[in-house]
Structures are given as structure tokens and as C-alpha cells.
Amino acid sequence: METSSIEINELPVATKILTAPASVEPITMETSSIDELPSSDSNATDNIEAVGEKRKRADEDEKTNLESSDTKITTPSPWWKTSLCSYFRREASCSHGNECKYAHGEAELRMKPDNTWDPTSERGKKAKALKMSEHEEKEEDEVLFTEQMMESIDGDEVSGGSVIDLSLSKCLVHLPNKWQSDELKKFLGEQGVQYKSAKKRRGMIVGFVTFENAEQLQIGVEILDGKTVNSSNVKIADVLPRTFDKNDARKSVKSARDAVTPLAYLSYADQLEQKKTSIGQMLKKLARNARKACPNGNSLPQWVLTSRDRGGLACNLEGIIESPITNGYRNKCEFSVGLSLQGKPTVGFSLGSFCAGVTAVEEPVDCPNVSKIAVQYASIFQKFIEKSKFQVWNRFQHSGFWRQLTVREGRKPGVFSNDEDALTRIAEVMLMVQVCLTGSDEAEVATEFEELAKAFAEGARASSPSLPLTVLVVQNHSGISNVAPPDAPLQVLPIPMSDNGTNQEQTTNVLTEARIHDHINNLRFSISPTAFFQVNTVTAEKLYSIAGDWADLGPDTLLFDVCCGTGTIGLTLAHRVGMVIGIEMNASAVADAERNAMINGISNCKFICSKAEDVMSSLLKQYLDVAQMEEAKPLCNANDDLNKQIPSTEEMTNSEHVADQNLPPSNTRVEELQDNEQKDSSSLEPEKSTKPQFKNVVAIVDPPRSGLHPAVIKALRTHPRLKRLVYISCNPETLVANAIELCTPSFDEPDRGNKNYRGRKKIGIAALARHRAKSMPTSEAFRPVKAMAVDLFPHTDHCEMVMLLER
């Protein structure tokens, strides 16, 4: 690939422009963008007319600015001729002539200031292909395929029950994940490949092929290696024996440290810089896609026009907030249970994805994000399952007993430090062991659980210093993935007390006992086994502080906490607002949120147990529609009924004990919440009148990695009283997609709808958001104001992002 840029003095057309008479008006780049051209991989030619129309709008705005400007620019913009001209590309001519700021052909094209080429150019396409090739080569080197994996896939059995010769077996990588063994065999037949057996499981991108002899293997590899299947190149990998020795590896092998903390080899300053750059790229992506999504014939939003002034960013990136704790910061660690490369039962982290055929599990050695307490409990559990008569879970055969160990830690208030002195800051520990009880004998399981509790208790006491152990829970789950549904059955196991041999008096079926506590901003939070809680609480305090400051809160503010989890955001900001409405679909998390409000004496919060997409629209109407509101009465009166149910701090000699008495068991929370929904609403619902109760309405959303549901986006976008939105995202890709729908101007009625959308395969989430934006009802669009990166996950490539949207 050509990497050197073309200098301006090498371009005859550009030279002519620079030496033109004074009467020629210089070109400024104030309101234009080089990214309005369609990308090479998404309708590069389908929307050329639309692109031309948008460029025409930008040129008209630019011309207006030039006519009103008294300052004459005598030097070209650094972005001059760095993008191909869409007019010239379509018609081989351009009405702008020599004054066009875009390149008329590959010869005039210059490299961008960020050392990249226009993605629609030949050099840009070559650079992208080279980058993808390098990524695939790196990916191939990291893939591990073991003998056991091959034997676990249903397929042709080796004749006579003989042992498979691994030297005659190969693994095919990058196959369509919808294929099964029959499709793989058909593909091999079409390519003229002779083989002995072929196996492929649906949902994976790998397949296994065994050949009759070395000659057949060599011919097959030559035919298959690099063969294109559905735009992906097939790669050939070895099948490693189950007794594989990493020290004698024929290729490099990932460690658990590499798989879990890929940035650990960098200094923390370099990690922050890399993450800040990554968030900046997301903001550029938002500006580019918003330009494409805007209706034709309308002026582009001001924030899109001025994005060039910010280096292509949709809004200002305020910087990145670093984590005060960089080692052992996670208060929740989920350890998989499986077989190592040597075939040994192991508790640790998977070395890759199941889709890619990687199921090997390695111990969490030298993983800087995991606390020493969690590592010690993983070691105790591993020693136990090595002697257990129950088998570890096999994802290929969907069989086994031991599946996963989750370690949750609760720290003391106001104490934080790095992992070196973790025991000084950890007060409580919850262990949750996930098992599959299908086909197990009940009596044998009960005996095994007793032995398990004894092993954990003895292991905790034997450590020096001893480890805290507050509660032990068993979760029953029979699905393929370890991600269990929120209502998966839980059982609390009694933990044997210390040396005198007595047992703790504790029932095993009351889930209200299964909880630990953590602290954020001097508030005490009760956490149940499956409830969401930030894994880095010290940095989360900074995150919530930024969100509250940007939301411009006050006593007359109504705050919607969407996807509230255990209520951490709403409760930490409750003292700054008039009222908080939290929405969460996890019933146990809502129970925790209500409990947390009670034990902290907070009375101006209401939590709704439902999917946000089901209730968001009705809640906005209920609390904000002017026509349905009464003249504001004091908030304390509106909350009288709730206050009667919540004892004051003085009345709570033991707040946690009072909370346990007032709240029913978690397995009845859903029914109770449904039965009392209208009763709870009556105490807080505004009465009818002509004046709103709250002058300022703000929403803070903290959705899962998949982002906000389209119905939630529609409700937030279309309600006129909601003027400010703070979006907290653990996946900036989905934030960009949601922001496209929130910030794109509405289409006129004749243009509304997805008329040109035909359900394209492999469409990106940003492109899908652009199509959905066309169906957005007429409403005022938000605009991105500023963004901040927050490093909640040091040593990993994940980074939290906060964005303020206003209108």
C-alpha cells in the first residue's frame, strides 16, 4: 500500500489555485465536512444524489459565510483535496471547477491530517483491506482448538471406534455460524476436497475436518486455505491435544491476563490516552452518521456544521476521568468453570469466545483487575471441584454440574486503596456458585452442598489473614450460556461457623438474607446476588457526580433514572432534586432500590418494576403533561403517604433490621409491585390542574450494552417538556446509534419511513439507527453538548462514556 502523501506543489490544479489572481475568492473549510461521502461498504452509489444535495446545502452555507466575512484566508485548509468529489466521481466533471475543495480523481487526492485516506478512494480501500488482513492473522494466532472440542461435536464417528489421528485433522476458521455438519460437507464436496469426517456445530465459526492420509490433508489444505465463504477468508488451524503443554506450543497462546486485561502491558497514562482517542473516534462517527441521516433539502444542524471546528467531533470531549484504583478494583468477578488446555478442571477465565470454538479456561493468574480475595476463593473452589464426583460443565455436550463462581465484595465506607491492602477495605463477601441440577440425585446434591460450604468456610479461615465470608448462594441454571435469567432459582447455604463445629442458624429458602452491602457517596447500598451494581465503586462516585453536575439539578427538578438497577444514581442525587422516578425491569434490583431508600432515610424516590419501553411514555405523560397537573403543592405533602411508610433515621435503631421486617421475600416482589402499583402511584401522582409541579425535568439513562430500546428513545425524543438528557454508556457504539435517533432532525411526512430499507444483511447499528430515524415522529431534536470518558475498567479496552444532550 502506498503510504506517502502527495504534496500540494505536486498537484498542478492545486498549484494553479494557490497562484490565482487576487480576484479569486479563497476557500474556507468552516462549515463543510469531508465525511459526507458515502462509505465504500454501505451504499456507496445508492445515495449519491442525496449526498450531492447535502453537499450543496453545506456549500450554500459556506458561501454565505464567505460573503459576510472580511477576513481573507491566504493558505489552504489542511483538509484541502483530502476527499474525492462526488460530482466528479458521478459525472466526470464538476461545476465548481478549479475552486472545488474536493479532489478530482486519485491523482489530486491528498492524505488527511490524521494520516488516513478517504475511505472511498483506492488507497483507502487498500488500507482497510490490509488492516483487516492483519487483524485476521492476529486472530488466527490466538485461536485455540482442542481435541476434546472436536470430539464433542456431533458428526460422523470414526469407523471402528478408532482414536482420531490429530496429525491428520485440521480446523477451518471463519465459516458461517449458521452452518452445521451437512453444510460443511456440501462445501467440501463443491471444492473437490476428499476427507474422512467433517464436523460443524451451528452457532460457531469453526469446523473440524479429518483426512485419510497425509497426501489428502496436504491437497485439502492447499484448496481450502484462503477460500472465500460469504466474504470471509477461510483459515486453517491445528487441533491441539487435550494434554497440550503451553511451554511446548507450536504457536503463541493467550494467557488469562492477555484475554481479560489486554492493555495491562501499557502504562496507565498510555491506557488513558488510548481510551480517550477511542472515545474521540466515536464522536467523529456520530457527526458523520448524523450528517448522512439528516433529511434532504433541510439545513444541517448547527452542531454538525461546526463539527469540523472541533476536528470532526460531534461535541467537545472534556477529557477522561482516571480510576483512583487501578489494581484489584472489581467488586464482582465471574469465574468460568471448565477444562484447561491440559484437560484439568479449572476455575478462571475463558481464553476466547465460544463462537470461535475456544472453551479452554485458565486460572486468573496475574490479572491486575481481579482482587486477591477473589483469586483466593477461585483457588479454594478449584481444589474442591478437582475432588468432586460431579463433572464440570461442557458447553458442547450441554452436560455437567459445576458452571461458574461469582465473587462479590462490599467495601467499608470511605476506604479505598489498590489491591495490596484489599482486606483493609473489604467488609463483606458473597459467593454464588452456578450449577446445573438436571439429572442429579437430590440427596447426593445436598451432601455435596454441605461439603462445598465447609470447604469455603475452612478455606477462608485458613488464609492469612482470614477472608471475609458473609453469604453463600447456589444458582440453578440449565441454559447453554452461563448468563442466567433474573428469575433463576437461588438457594442460600448455611456457612459453618468457626472452630467449635457449630453451624450458623440460617434458613436456606429466604432470599432476603442473601445480600451484602457497599457504599457510594456515604450511602449504604444493599446488593442481592443478581442485582446490577457498578464494579468499580470508587470511580462510579466520580461518574455520578459528573452526571449530576451536567444535569443541572435543583429542588424543582424531576429526575427520571432509566435502567436504575439498585437505584445508585437516583439515590446519590436525590438530595439535589425534588423527586426521583427510577425504572428497572429486574424485580430483585427494584427490591434492593426500595430497601436502599429506606435504610438511607430517602423519601423522594419512587421505583417502577417494568421494562422502560413499556412505561416510559405513560410516566412522562403522568408527571409532565401540563393539562393534567394541579398547581404545585409542597413536595412533602405529595410524599406524605410514602413518608408514613419510611421511618426516620432517629426511629431506626437498626435500619437494616427494620428493612428486613418491612420487605417481603424477594420471590414475592413482582406480585406485590403489580398489586400495589396504583396505590404507590396515588401518593406521588400530581393532581389535575393547569400548572406543572416541576419546572425542570431531566432524564439520566444508564442502559445495558445493547443500548436503549427504540420505544424508550421515541418517548424521550417526543416529549416536549424533557429538555436535558444525560446518557451514561458502557458501550459507546450503542450510544452513537441512540444519539443518531435523538439528535437527527425530523423528516417531513412524505419522506418519513424506511422506504429504501430492505433488511440488508450485516447492516451496522449506526446504519440501522439512521433508518429508524426516518420514522421518528415530528419533534425537536436534541443536540450533543459535551462528552466525557470515564475509565471504570483499567487494563481493559472498555471505557465508560457520558454525554450531555440538550434542546
Side-chain angles (χ1 to χ4, degrees):
M1 186 193 72
E2 184 178 352
T3 58
S4 60
S5 61
I6 302 175
E7 302 294 337
I8 284 185
N9 54 17
E10 296 178 8
L11 304 177
V13 178
T15 304
K16 183 176 180 181
I17 294 174
L18 294 175
T19 59
S23 60
V24 178
E25 192 91 358
I27 305 298
T28 181
M29 301 292 287
E30 271 186 13
T31 59
S32 63
S33 173
I34 65 168
D35 293 314
E36 64 194 46
L37 300 175
S39 62
S40 59
D41 58 350
S42 59
N43 300 332
T45 58
D46 292 348
N47 298 321
I48 288 181
E49 294 183 1
V51 171
E53 181 64 28
K54 294 174 185 176
R55 179 181 160 190
K56 183 177 179 181
R57 297 196 313 250
D59 289 341
E60 290 175 353
D61 294 334
E62 177 184 343
K63 183 177 180 181
T64 302
N65 291 339
L66 286 173
E67 291 175 352
S68 61
S69 174
D70 296 332
T71 304
K72 303 299 181 181
I73 301 176
T74 58
T75 58
S77 165
W79 297 92
W80 179 269
K81 302 289 185 181
T82 59
S83 292
L84 293 173
C85 175
S86 59
Y87 290 113
F88 189 87
R89 179 170 47 190
R90 185 179 69 232
E91 301 177 0
S93 63
C94 176
S95 60
H96 294 88
N98 294 338
E99 297 181 5
C100 183
K101 56 182 171 289
Y102 298 97
H104 290 174
E106 296 283 341
E108 288 189 6
L109 187 66
R110 300 175 58 227
M111 183 178 282
K112 297 181 181 181
D114 59 357
N115 296 325
T116 61
W117 293 96
D118 181 341
T120 64
S121 69
E122 291 301 321
R123 281 170 284 195
K125 293 176 182 178
K126 289 180 180 179
K128 181 179 180 181
L130 179 61
K131 184 176 181 180
M132 291 181 63
S133 177
E134 292 174 350
H135 174 73
E136 289 179 356
E137 291 177 1
K138 180 179 179 182
E139 185 182 59
E140 179 190 4
D141 291 339
E142 295 174 344
V143 172
L144 301 174
F145 303 99
T146 64
E147 175 189 5
Q148 182 195 18
M149 203 178 307
M150 180 177 177
E151 295 175 351
S152 299
I153 300 179
D154 294 333
D156 292 341
E157 297 296 334
V158 180
S159 60
S162 59
V163 179
I164 297 175
D165 186 353
L166 296 185
S167 65
L168 298 178
S169 300
K170 290 292 181 180
C171 179
L172 307 186
V173 192
H174 301 148
L175 298 177
N177 60 6
K178 293 184 179 180
W179 278 14
Q180 298 187 48
S181 295
D182 291 341
E183 286 80 6
L184 176 57
K185 294 173 184 177
K186 180 180 178 181
F187 169 73
L188 295 174
E190 292 173 349
Q191 304 302 319
V193 176
Q194 296 181 350
Y195 60 94
K196 185 176 183 179
S197 65
K199 300 181 180 183
K200 171 75 169 63
R201 180 186 291 278
R202 183 182 180 90
M204 299 178 62
I205 62 173
V206 298
F208 299 91
V209 181
T210 300
F211 299 91
E212 295 281 359
N213 50 56
E215 181 181 0
Q216 196 178 84
L217 181 147
Q218 182 179 358
I219 296 174
V221 170
E222 291 176 355
I223 295 175
L224 296 174
D225 193 21
K227 184 69 66 174
T228 301
V229 181
N230 290 358
S231 72
S232 297
N233 294 329
V234 175
K235 300 294 182 180
I236 308 297
D238 293 331
V239 180
L240 303 180
R242 71 180 70 200
T243 56
F244 175 72
D245 186 355
K246 291 185 290 183
N247 296 325
D248 299 330
R250 287 165 285 177
K251 59 171 64 178
S252 60
V253 177
K254 262 187 178 181
S255 65
R257 177 187 175 95
D258 295 332
V260 177
T261 54
L263 302 186
Y265 67 94
L266 294 174
S267 67
Y268 190 50
D270 291 340
Q271 293 181 34
L272 294 175
E273 187 62 31
Q274 180 171 321
K275 293 183 179 185
K276 183 180 177 181
T277 301
S278 176
I279 296 298
Q281 293 300 321
M282 291 295 102
L283 293 177
K284 291 181 180 180
K285 183 176 181 179
L286 172 57
R288 293 196 303 269
N289 282 274
R291 180 182 291 272
K292 295 177 183 179
C294 289
N296 295 327
N298 297 339
S299 297
L300 294 173
Q302 187 65 25
W303 66 270
V304 175
L305 293 174
T306 58
S307 61
R308 176 56 55 79
D309 300 336
R310 298 181 292 270
L313 302 179
C315 61
N316 288 327
L317 179 57
E318 301 293 310
I320 183 168
I321 296 177
E322 64 182 62
S323 174
I325 301 178
T326 57
N327 294 326
Y329 58 85
R330 291 191 65 93
N331 58 32
K332 178 184 178 182
C333 291
E334 296 175 317
F335 298 107
S336 299
V337 179
L339 297 180
S340 66
L341 291 171
Q342 296 79 22
K344 172 186 174 183
T346 305
V347 178
F349 296 119
S350 175
L351 298 184
S353 68
F354 175 75
C355 177
V358 182
T359 59
V361 175
E362 291 298 322
E363 298 177 23
V365 178
D366 296 330
C367 294
N369 61 338
V370 180
S371 73
K372 292 182 179 179
I373 291 178
V375 172
Q376 287 177 277
Y377 273 119
S379 178
I380 294 171
F381 187 44
Q382 179 171 316
K383 292 177 181 178
F384 178 80
I385 64 174
E386 288 175 353
K387 301 177 182 179
S388 174
K389 61 181 177 182
F390 291 94
Q391 300 298 312
V392 300
W393 180 252
N394 187 315
R395 293 185 65 180
F396 290 96
Q397 298 178 345
H398 303 165
S399 63
F401 187 82
W402 304 111
R403 303 188 54 144
Q404 182 176 267
L405 170 68
T406 300
V407 182
R408 304 194 75 158
E409 303 170 359
R411 66 184 177 93
K412 301 174 183 177
V415 177
F416 61 90
S417 60
N418 272 320
D419 190 46
E420 285 71 17
D421 55 345
L423 288 177
T424 64
R425 61 184 173 90
I426 302 302
E428 299 176 89
V429 170
M430 174 192 293
L431 302 179
M432 182 170 71
V433 178
Q434 185 183 97
V435 299
C436 177
L437 297 178
T438 304
S440 301
D441 180 77
E442 185 175 347
E444 292 182 350
V445 168
T447 302
E448 190 76 358
F449 285 168
E450 290 180 4
E451 294 298 322
L452 175 66
K454 181 180 178 181
F456 276 127
E458 292 179 351
R461 290 193 296 267
S463 299
S464 179
S466 61
L467 305 178
L469 180 56
T470 309
V471 61
L472 174 60
V473 182
V474 171
Q475 181 185 59
N476 180 23
H477 175 50
S478 59
I480 298 176
S481 168
N482 287 343
V483 181
D487 59 349
L490 298 176
Q491 177 184 352
V492 178
L493 301 183
I495 302 174
M497 297 298 287
S498 59
D499 306 320
N500 56 10
T502 60
N503 287 345
Q504 183 179 4
E505 294 296 333
Q506 180 175 339
T507 57
T508 61
N509 58 354
V510 181
L511 299 184
T512 52
E513 299 295 326
R515 61 183 66 255
I516 59 173
H517 304 85
D518 209 329
H519 296 79
I520 294 182
N521 288 342
N522 295 322
L523 295 181
R524 179 179 172 89
F525 288 91
S526 178
I527 307 169
S528 58
T530 60
F532 171 78
F533 197 78
Q534 289 288 0
V535 299
N536 187 343
T537 51
V538 179
T539 311
E541 292 181 353
K542 295 187 175 185
L543 172 65
Y544 298 159
S545 178
I546 285 288
D549 293 341
W550 286 9
D552 192 23
L553 306 176
D556 58 353
T557 298
L558 173 60
L559 173 61
F560 283 94
D561 185 4
V562 184
C563 307
C564 65
T566 55
T568 52
I569 296 178
L571 293 174
T572 55
L573 300 177
H575 68 287
R576 302 172 60 177
V577 302
M579 182 176 176
V580 176
I581 303 295
I583 306 170
E584 171 60 43
M585 63 178 292
N586 188 315
S588 63
V590 171
D592 287 342
E594 293 175 339
R595 178 189 300 273
N596 293 332
M598 297 179 70
I599 65 179
N600 288 288
I602 298 175
S603 60
N604 62 336
C605 294
K606 175 184 172 73
F607 296 98
I608 308 296
C609 182
S610 178
K611 292 182 178 180
E613 56 267 27
D614 294 340
V615 298
M616 193 68 221
S617 180
S618 60
L619 285 174
L620 286 169
K621 292 180 180 179
Q622 176 182 346
Y623 287 96
L624 300 185
D625 279 0
V626 176
Q628 298 181 2
M629 291 194 173
E630 183 188 359
E631 182 175 2
K633 56 182 179 179
L635 184 61
C636 59
N637 294 335
N639 291 328
D640 276 348
D641 292 338
L642 182 62
N643 290 334
K644 293 177 181 178
Q645 303 172 19
I646 303 176
S648 64
T649 304
E650 293 76 7
E651 295 171 335
M652 299 170 68
T653 56
N654 188 332
S655 59
E656 191 68 19
H657 179 67
V658 173
D660 289 340
Q661 288 182 336
N662 290 346
L663 289 176
S666 296
N667 55 2
T668 65
R669 291 299 300 158
V670 177
E671 292 79 1
E672 184 198 0
L673 287 167
Q674 293 174 346
D675 295 340
N676 296 335
E677 182 174 355
Q678 294 183 349
K679 177 181 178 181
D680 292 341
S681 301
S682 63
S683 63
L684 295 170
E685 180 178 358
E687 298 179 9
K688 294 184 178 181
S689 180
T690 58
K691 295 183 180 181
Q693 182 176 357
F694 301 100
K695 296 180 181 179
N696 183 32
V697 181
V698 179
I700 297 180
V701 299
D702 187 9
R705 292 189 61 82
S706 57
L708 291 172
H709 190 278
V712 179
I713 297 175
K714 180 179 178 181
L716 295 172
R717 167 73 184 262
T718 56
H719 203 288
R721 291 271 330 270
L722 185 62
K723 300 296 185 182
R724 186 176 291 105
L725 172 65
V726 179
Y727 196 125
I728 301 174
S729 175
C730 59
N731 184 3
E733 286 277 359
T734 54
L735 187 155
V736 168
N738 292 164
I740 291 172
E741 297 184 66
L742 291 167
C743 301
T744 300
S746 300
F747 280 70
D748 295 332
E749 190 66 34
D751 299 328
R752 192 170 298 156
N754 296 334
K755 299 181 178 64
N756 297 324
Y757 179 60
R758 295 292 184 270
R760 299 179 183 87
K761 294 181 179 180
K762 296 185 178 180
I763 186 171
I765 58 175
L768 183 60
R770 296 200 305 268
H771 285 289
R772 282 203 298 256
K774 296 180 181 180
S775 301
M776 186 65 65
T778 302
S779 55
E780 182 183 1
F782 285 90
R783 63 179 177 88
V785 178
K786 52 186 175 181
M788 178 76 78
V790 182
D791 187 21
L792 279 176
F793 316 103
H795 308 301
T796 75
D797 50 11
H798 298 291
C799 187
E800 204 88 355
M801 182 178 178
V802 187
M803 179 179 287
L804 172 63
L805 306 174
E806 291 182 347
R807 58 182 174 181

